[in-house]
Amino acid sequence: MIKKVAMSIAGLDTGNGAGAESDLKVMEILGVHPVIAITAITVQNTLGISAIQQVEPDFLKREILALKEDFEISSIKIGMIYNKEQFKVVNEILDDNIPVVTDPVIYAKDGTQLINDIEDYKKLILAKSTVITPNAVEASILSGIKIESIKDGENAAKELYEKFDIPYIIIKGGHLSGEYSFDLLYDGKDFFEIGYPRLNNRNTHGTGSIFASIISAELAKGNSIYDAFLTAKEILQHSIYYGLNIGKGIGPIDPVSYLEKKSQKYSVLEEMRIFGDFIENTENFWKLIPEVQSNFAHSIIPSYVSTLEDIATFRGRIIRRWDKKVVVGYPAIFGNPTHTARLLFSIISMGENARNLINIRYDENILKEFKKLGYEIVEINRDLEPLEPEGSTMQWIAKYVKDNFSKIPNVIYDKGMKGKEAMIRFWTTDLQEMIDSLKTICNNI
Ligand SMILES: Cc1ncc(CO)c(N)n1
């Protein structure tokens, strides 16, 4: 196995939010092998930086040379780099044939200065970069142009492009206001702007480092700056959404969640197959299927669920045929707005650790079996359901049960009403528990 190798020249954040560790994390996720030259150790947690120990310039040089001698480096990312002496060392080893992505982290979130000797930095580091990724504040400092709008950002990008002869300028608009957060890329000819809905999440530590690392990793793999920019925006949005609420201050964003969610979705599809096999091979299962047929909703780990896209159901439902055969309507798909998916989503939104939900035929004997298995059962009276808004029944059921019983029992049934078939809905956390319970019921009815 061979991977591209990308070098990160950065400070170490003891709290593992920004800097070298965040570079490591996200580059690994993107399939690049990161190697690190540490410029400084920062004593840092979610509350800020309390001390900085810089690495001697000579020692930094030895780190970089050891890496360059051994590996074929496909891109270099430069983050915190402390002072003039360090700039000189780095400047000497920069090679025109290797893309250099520079994140001018002049100040940390708490205001601590991470890069000193700014005038030297401009000459020795900025001007040798292929891409720079300042936020609006940093771009203002470096260009001398105050940035309060996208138009200002475009002017600052032009100024930086012309003054320092940097091929690509990216200015991040996360610090500006507005419903959308825009970043812009300037290549000397055109502006490319990407906006995502602004997230109000508090835990945003590491955003800048991770953004630049994604650009660097993507360039190392040979992707274009334009594709790298798209990838960075997408992963950043995801990582901020799932930012970690740990520590007493501003917690780290979580790029690992991007991979975690993808792999969970794969497991969910495999488990849909397992559940489908169980249904099709279980005697008497047809007795559980109502007139409107059944479906089964299965979710990724509830703490990762953000929309119906995180819940799978069978596109063709679970059908009882005329000859009592039960047929599963594959494929399993995510984001299908079925009753089962919407009810499971609502139950999860109420804070329950629910992952599986099936609707089955209303029958006193089936309810008795659930009771025998030890489940708590609740009846809801659909006469109480408000008529408006239409299509919100599943949300209403979850809220009604939660309000009246504080937790949501695993078996919820109603006796129907005009035009609505009576129904039992059964949810569990554990898939095997659901299979075992349904198997027992099928054996006994
Ligand atoms: C080590 C380090 N690099 C970069 C930043 C900027 O977020 C930080 N806080 N710490």
Side-chain angles (χ1 to χ4, degrees):
M1 181 71 186
I2 289 180
K3 284 183 179 179
K4 294 288 183 190
V5 178
M7 189 194 297
S8 164
I9 302 173
L12 189 140
D13 167 0
T14 49
N16 181 15
E21 303 96 303
S22 66
D23 298 340
L24 273 180
K25 259 186 287 196
V26 76
M27 287 186 182
E28 296 276 13
I29 288 168
L30 292 169
V32 164
H33 180 75
V35 294
I36 310 279
I38 291 287
T39 57
I41 299 171
T42 65
V43 178
Q44 189 168 178
N45 57 26
T46 62
L47 295 168
I49 296 176
S50 55
I52 293 175
Q53 174 70 61
Q54 75 145 316
V55 164
E56 289 305 325
D58 252 357
F59 194 85
L60 176 61
K61 187 171 186 170
R62 287 173 67 168
E63 292 183 71
I64 295 171
L65 289 181
L67 297 173
K68 276 198 85 162
E69 274 165 23
D70 193 28
F71 300 104
E72 186 186 329
I73 307 290
S74 296
S75 76
I76 297 174
K77 185 230 151 182
I78 303 177
M80 173 187 182
I81 174 167
Y82 200 54
N83 54 22
K84 191 159 53 180
E85 288 70 35
Q86 289 195 344
F87 308 157
K88 281 187 191 147
V89 165
V90 172
N91 173 277
E92 274 173 30
I93 60 89
L94 294 181
D95 169 340
D96 288 342
N97 298 316
I98 303 175
V100 177
V101 181
T102 298
D103 181 24
V105 278
I106 305 173
Y107 298 107
K109 284 218 160 47
D110 67 352
T112 303
Q113 191 156 354
L114 299 178
I115 299 174
N116 299 289
D117 308 326
I118 293 294
E119 288 310 312
D120 297 285
Y121 178 77
K122 289 178 183 170
K123 275 193 267 150
L124 296 172
I125 302 296
L126 270 199
K128 290 276 268 182
S129 305
T130 317
V131 192
I132 61 168
T133 62
N135 59 38
V137 175
E138 292 154 351
S140 292
I141 294 172
L142 296 170
S143 68
I145 292 175
K146 196 164 178 208
I147 302 174
E148 285 170 339
S149 66
I150 294 179
K151 197 76 213 155
D152 296 339
E154 291 180 353
N155 290 333
K158 262 192 167 147
E159 175 72 14
L160 290 168
Y161 178 88
E162 279 157 21
K163 204 163 174 181
F164 301 110
D165 196 22
I166 304 164
Y168 302 101
I169 313 286
I170 293 176
I171 299 182
K172 298 168 294 184
H175 290 62
L176 301 176
S177 56
E179 203 180 324
Y180 282 76
S181 168
F182 280 97
D183 293 349
L184 71 86
L185 164 65
Y186 181 56
D187 63 2
K189 226 171 101 225
D190 296 307
F191 291 103
F192 301 87
E193 271 136 32
I194 306 176
Y196 271 90
R198 185 176 294 280
L199 299 170
N200 287 318
N201 298 18
R202 165 188 166 81
N203 302 304
T204 55
H205 183 40
T207 309
S209 304
I210 286 174
F211 185 96
S213 287
I214 296 170
I215 302 282
S216 186
E218 291 299 295
L219 294 182
K221 290 191 283 187
N223 291 326
S224 75
I225 182 71
Y226 310 100
D227 286 337
F229 184 40
L230 281 169
T231 304
K233 272 303 264 184
E234 188 200 337
I235 297 181
L236 253 292
Q237 187 74 2
H238 194 102
S239 308
I240 295 170
Y241 185 89
Y242 292 100
L244 300 175
N245 196 14
I246 54 176
K248 299 182 181 72
I250 298 171
I253 66 169
D254 187 15
V256 177
S257 67
Y258 185 74
L259 207 60
E260 174 66 17
K261 207 164 162 171
K262 275 194 202 282
S263 79
Q264 279 188 33
K265 283 189 157 185
Y266 178 78
S267 302
V268 163
L269 293 182
E270 281 195 327
E271 286 158 3
M272 294 295 283
R273 182 90 225 178
I274 291 169
F275 194 74
D277 284 350
F278 155 69
I279 288 174
E280 289 184 336
N281 296 309
T282 299
E283 221 181 311
N284 284 341
F285 203 93
W286 63 273
K287 291 183 180 169
L288 301 186
I289 310 270
E291 287 304 314
V292 296
Q293 312 290 6
S294 286
N295 212 330
F296 168 63
H298 186 36
S299 83
I300 61 173
I301 292 171
S303 53
Y304 280 103
V305 170
S306 61
T307 67
L308 284 183
E309 287 297 327
D310 301 323
I311 295 178
T313 50
F314 293 114
R315 184 156 70 191
R317 296 182 291 170
I318 300 163
I319 306 287
R320 181 188 62 199
R321 257 176 19 185
W322 56 273
D323 58 356
K324 296 178 181 172
K325 267 225 152 51
V326 175
V327 179
V328 173
Y330 289 105
I333 55 171
F334 287 99
N336 201 13
T338 61
H339 284 88
T340 47
R342 284 187 286 122
L343 183 58
L344 182 59
F345 184 74
S346 294
I347 291 173
I348 291 169
S349 305
M350 299 280 153
E352 295 289 351
N353 190 23
R355 289 198 64 189
N356 314 288
L357 186 143
I358 189 168
N359 68 305
I360 54 190
R361 187 171 64 85
Y362 171 78
D363 182 314
E364 281 299 331
N365 292 324
I366 295 176
L367 280 181
K368 269 190 206 134
E369 290 299 324
F370 274 118
K371 233 172 250 162
K372 269 203 272 175
L373 285 166
Y375 286 110
E376 213 181 314
I377 295 172
V378 60
E379 177 180 359
I380 48 167
N381 181 353
R382 290 193 60 179
D383 290 337
L384 300 176
E385 181 186 346
L387 292 171
E388 302 280 336
E390 193 134 3
S392 60
T393 301
M394 296 303 126
Q395 222 176 324
W396 173 76
I397 291 177
K399 187 168 171 359
Y400 176 85
V401 176
K402 181 84 176 181
D403 287 350
N404 289 284
F405 301 87
S406 78
K407 79 175 280 302
I408 300 184
N410 294 84
V411 179
I412 304 166
Y413 73 96
D414 71 82
K415 292 185 177 157
M417 55 190 227
K418 202 160 171 265
K420 303 276 184 205
E421 185 181 4
M423 197 69 67
I424 299 172
R425 299 164 188 95
F426 172 43
W427 71 265
T428 64
T429 301
D430 184 65
L431 182 60
Q432 195 56 46
E433 177 189 331
M434 175 166 280
I435 290 175
D436 292 344
S437 300
L438 294 176
K439 202 184 275 174
T440 305
I441 294 172
C442 287
N443 281 337
N444 293 349
I445 54 171

